[in-house]
Amino acid sequence: MEERLQKIISKSGIASRRAAEALIKEKRITINGTVVTELGIKVDAMRCTIAVDGRIIAQEEEHVYLLLNKPKAYLSTAKDDRGRRTVLDLVLGIALRIYPVGRLDYNTTGLLLLTNDGALTNGLLHPKQEVEKTYVATVKGRIDETALQRLRTGISLEDGVTAPAKVRMLERTNGLTKIEVIIHEGRNRQVRRMFAAVGCDVRALMRTNFAGLSLDGVKCGAYRLLTKGEVDRLRLLAGLLR
């Protein structure tokens, strides 16, 4: 995407837009080795080598944002030394290096974001942002209201007491109970450990929503690109926009 040269230089942190104009007038900027003399020039920073006083400026990597419906038996990591399948094996045609935003357990399914935007990833996962994640747990047998209330008020685990969760029962069929749980923490295997603490055996766990995004229209094992509006909302939740 082409942008004004002054804007590109400003984004790189070298100088303000006004100062960048002065650098152009002083013939201190080159594009692909050619001195720039035109103030209003537009260039594609990802396809050109821009230098100030002979020093090449680092360009911001193009960002990509994917929503994946993760199946069971895939690792939420970029690679595995033991050769096991990872979620990146499901993503084809993406040339840029991307990585998961947080993790889903090996046998947990559902919504997983992948990106190369480090600032967004850090913001969405930072505890102070309290970004909500919704799970549907299928547990063996019946779970009573006392256990549900314990989940709502906080469960004492080995790494501390969990924050209050939003919990509601969805259905009971064939000896199994489906329960929706909404949390904003991101501890390792947190939902499974919470249910284990109240004596429940989780037979299946699926994340259905993260940061306001849902799996609507995305089949298991498939993915889609996020829209600009969705990315902007994520950046707002991550504390990157005011």
Side-chain angles (χ1 to χ4, degrees):
M1 181 180 69
E2 291 191 343
E3 294 181 294
R4 286 186 179 275
L5 181 58
Q6 295 96 310
K7 182 177 180 181
I8 294 171
I9 294 172
S10 175
K11 286 168 62 177
S12 74
I14 296 292
S16 67
R17 293 193 191 188
R18 181 167 295 182
E21 291 181 0
L23 292 173
I24 294 172
K25 291 177 181 178
E26 294 166 7
K27 300 182 179 180
R28 294 168 59 186
I29 299 178
T30 60
I31 297 176
N32 296 334
T34 301
V35 175
V36 178
T37 58
E38 181 183 345
L39 281 178
I41 189 172
K42 288 186 176 182
V43 296
D44 185 340
M46 302 304 297
R47 298 178 180 273
C48 299
T49 300
I50 303 170
V52 178
D53 294 333
R55 180 167 65 113
I56 296 174
I57 65 174
Q59 295 303 313
E60 182 178 320
E61 185 180 30
E62 179 185 358
H63 287 150
V64 61
Y65 308 88
L66 305 180
L67 184 157
L68 171 72
N69 188 345
K70 176 189 173 296
K72 292 178 66 174
Y74 281 83
L75 292 173
S76 296
T77 185
K79 61 181 179 179
D80 179 57
D81 294 336
R82 294 164 56 186
R84 291 173 295 179
R85 296 182 300 183
T86 78
V87 291
L88 292 190
D89 293 325
L90 298 166
V91 179
L92 304 175
I94 303 297
L96 296 172
R97 178 179 176 273
I98 58 176
Y99 44 84
V101 179
R103 293 190 177 190
L104 292 180
D105 298 337
Y106 187 67
N107 286 322
T108 297
T109 64
L111 199 157
L112 185 67
L113 296 181
L114 297 101
T115 185
N116 57 351
D117 188 336
L120 180 68
T121 297
N122 292 335
L124 290 174
L125 298 180
H126 198 289
K128 75 174 183 180
Q129 301 304 133
E130 297 190 354
V131 175
E132 289 191 338
K133 312 165 186 71
T134 302
Y135 296 83
V136 173
T138 302
V139 302
K140 182 181 179 181
R142 299 173 67 88
I143 178 170
D144 59 26
E145 185 59 31
T146 300
L148 293 178
Q149 191 57 31
R150 286 183 61 195
L151 294 171
R152 294 186 183 110
T153 56
I155 297 292
S156 180
L157 302 177
E158 62 268 23
D159 51 357
V161 178
T162 63
K166 300 174 185 177
V167 181
R168 69 187 180 103
M169 192 176 300
L170 298 179
E171 65 179 28
R172 284 179 172 145
T173 55
N174 300 322
L176 298 173
T177 304
K178 286 190 176 182
I179 301 165
E180 180 186 82
V181 181
I182 302 176
I183 62 174
H184 60 73
E185 295 178 297
R187 307 187 197 188
N188 184 43
R189 297 176 58 84
Q190 180 174 339
V191 175
R192 292 182 185 273
R193 290 192 293 139
M194 288 170 62
F195 277 102
V198 296
C200 292
D201 177 19
V202 175
R203 293 301 180 89
L205 185 62
M206 180 178 191
R207 185 157 72 185
T208 58
N209 193 291
F210 176 66
L213 296 171
S214 75
L215 291 169
D216 291 348
V218 183
K219 296 180 180 179
C220 184
Y223 68 90
R224 69 170 178 84
L225 295 171
L226 297 188
T227 67
K228 181 181 183 303
E230 288 171 332
V231 173
D232 287 343
R233 287 194 293 275
L234 290 179
R235 292 178 65 81
L236 184 64
L237 288 173
L240 302 178
L241 296 178
R242 298 292 181 186

